Amino acid sequence: MKFSPKKMLVNYGAAVLLATFLFISNFLNTNLFDFGQLNFAVWFVLSIFSFSCGWFINRVLGWQHGGKIVFAIIIAVTIVSLFVIIFFNEYFAAAELLTENIILYSLRNITLGAMGFFGMALQEVLGSERESVILKEKIKVYEQTMLDAKREAEITLKEAKVKAQKLINDAELHAKNTILKKERIESELQEFIHTERELLKKYEEL
């Protein structure tokens, strides 16, 4: 199979974007559980991006393969984020406990990853419903086609029966005509023989 960079970009570009969003979220100076106006807007935008990536991943790669990739991205980014937080703890809220930072930043990645899964699930449900509607329409068309074919078969069968009956009637009529013609010829032949005999008798009497 020939390698195609364009196909790889289409298939896995959304997965790369999702991983990028998850990793970049670690460097945002926002608290996951702070629902201020600015913080909410930042996380809302990131959630929309993650949702969109999940939607596109499921549409391109499917639920099973795409789900494995999203799960692997969440695990991988979370592990990389933990290493970054541990080695650069001074940058990531040095005033807080390291364990608390690890839990909070892990929750960031898991939350955004869950939004990706939510996008995949919603696309899968809507896609399944659309396929179900299409399948129902195909079944209706198939049933209508079968019904039309059955009607055509019944009409053809009736026409065949009518033609067969006509052929039988014609054959019977032809047979009757042949028998009548044969009987008429036999009768004429007997009359001719009888006339000949009468003539012979008269000739012998002379």
Side-chain angles (χ1 to χ4, degrees):
M1 186 176 179
K2 187 177 179 180
F3 175 76
S4 176
K6 184 177 180 181
K7 186 176 181 181
M8 289 290 292
L9 180 63
V10 171
N11 290 342
Y12 298 99
V16 174
L17 282 177
L18 180 61
T20 304
F21 290 145
L22 293 181
F23 186 72
I24 289 177
S25 68
N26 295 319
F27 299 94
L28 297 176
N29 190 20
T30 57
N31 191 343
L32 180 64
F33 300 106
D34 186 2
F35 291 98
Q37 185 175 0
L38 179 61
N39 294 337
F40 177 79
V42 171
W43 282 103
F44 180 77
V45 171
L46 285 175
S47 298
I48 292 297
F49 283 152
S50 299
F51 177 88
S52 301
C53 290
W55 180 288
F56 191 77
I57 289 171
N58 189 76
R59 185 169 185 174
V60 175
L61 300 177
W63 174 255
Q64 293 184 351
H65 185 55
K68 292 177 182 177
I69 290 177
V70 173
F71 182 76
I73 288 173
I74 295 173
I75 299 299
V77 173
T78 302
I79 292 174
V80 172
S81 299
L82 293 181
F83 278 108
V84 172
I85 292 169
I86 292 172
F87 286 107
F88 299 97
N89 188 36
E90 296 80 7
Y91 176 79
F92 296 97
E96 299 178 3
L97 295 175
L98 178 61
T99 306
E100 184 178 350
N101 284 339
I102 290 175
I103 294 174
L104 289 177
Y105 282 96
S106 298
L107 284 175
R108 288 185 177 192
N109 294 328
I110 294 173
T111 302
L112 292 179
M115 287 302 298
F117 272 117
F118 178 62
M120 290 184 64
L122 188 59
Q123 200 282 331
E124 182 71 16
V125 170
L126 294 179
S128 298
E129 289 182 355
R130 184 168 56 251
E131 290 179 358
S132 176
V133 171
I134 294 173
L135 183 59
K136 287 180 180 178
E137 292 298 325
K138 288 183 178 179
I139 291 174
K140 288 182 180 178
V141 172
Y142 176 75
E143 290 178 349
Q144 186 62 38
T145 303
M146 292 296 294
L147 184 61
D148 293 340
K150 184 179 180 180
R151 289 175 180 173
E152 290 180 0
E154 291 177 353
I155 293 173
T156 304
L157 182 60
K158 289 180 180 178
E159 291 178 351
K161 287 182 178 179
V162 171
K163 290 180 180 179
Q165 189 63 40
K166 185 176 181 301
L167 289 174
I168 292 172
N169 294 335
D170 292 342
E172 290 178 352
L173 182 61
H174 181 70
K176 288 180 180 179
N177 291 333
T178 303
I179 293 172
L180 290 174
K181 188 181 292 185
K182 178 183 176 184
E183 290 177 352
R184 182 174 57 81
I185 293 172
E186 289 178 350
S187 176
E188 292 177 353
L189 184 60
Q190 288 177 359
E191 290 179 359
F192 178 75
I193 294 173
H194 180 70
T195 304
E196 287 291 325
R197 285 179 180 174
E198 290 293 331
L199 288 174
L200 286 174
K201 283 182 180 181
K202 288 180 180 180
Y203 180 75
E204 288 176 354
E205 291 174 357
L206 291 177

